Amino acid sequence: MAEPERTERRLRPAPLLFEPSEAVADPEHFFDLESIEDPRELLTRATELTLAFRAAQERAVEFQALAAAQLADPRRFDRLTPALIAEQAEWTEDYALKMIEFGETLQRGTGTDLT
């Protein structure tokens, strides 16, 4: 019975909290991981952070796609071309087109993968 609880706990990303500015200034400091001495605890916390960063990255990509679709919307008087969106986001134009399409899909509520 303890095993399913542990598995479910691992699937939930750890909250990403902003570190105090003095901690960020120290290049050796990373979410207080350097202070954890127990390797099992370190592995657990590092894994939680890995999952949290992955979840944050996936969410950020969705927001990028939504923004790209909104910027390319032909109903906007100030719409941007895919080339301009690509330039602003530092993407290739082909990738910008895929992101615009993905964003349009998200706007319709039928999210699909980019690949």
Side-chain angles (χ1 to χ4, degrees):
M1 185 177 249
E3 186 63 31
E5 291 175 20
R6 184 176 180 191
T7 303
E8 185 171 320
R9 182 175 181 261
R10 283 187 167 174
L11 296 177
R12 273 187 314 219
L16 290 178
L17 304 175
F18 291 100
E19 296 189 87
S21 57
E22 61 272 4
V24 174
D26 178 5
E28 295 299 315
H29 183 82
F30 187 73
F31 289 89
D32 209 27
L33 292 179
E34 71 285 345
S35 68
I36 299 174
E37 294 183 17
D38 177 16
R40 290 173 197 240
E41 183 182 343
L42 179 59
L43 178 61
T44 298
R45 181 63 180 147
T47 301
E48 288 172 345
L49 284 170
T50 298
L51 293 173
F53 284 125
R54 283 182 190 152
Q57 185 269 337
E58 289 171 8
R59 253 336 242 157
V61 167
E62 289 176 354
F63 279 105
Q64 282 182 312
L66 286 169
Q70 290 170 2
L71 288 170
D73 189 335
R75 296 172 295 186
R76 290 178 62 108
F77 75 93
D78 61 345
R79 90 174 242 201
L80 298 180
T81 64
L84 287 173
I85 293 169
E87 183 180 328
Q88 183 174 341
E90 299 181 10
W91 297 332
T92 65
E93 192 170 344
D94 286 343
Y95 188 74
L97 288 167
K98 288 181 181 182
M99 289 294 278
I100 292 166
E101 182 181 321
F102 180 47
E104 291 168 346
T105 303
L106 290 171
Q107 288 175 328
R108 289 190 302 268
T110 57
T112 59
D113 193 6
L114 281 175
T115 56

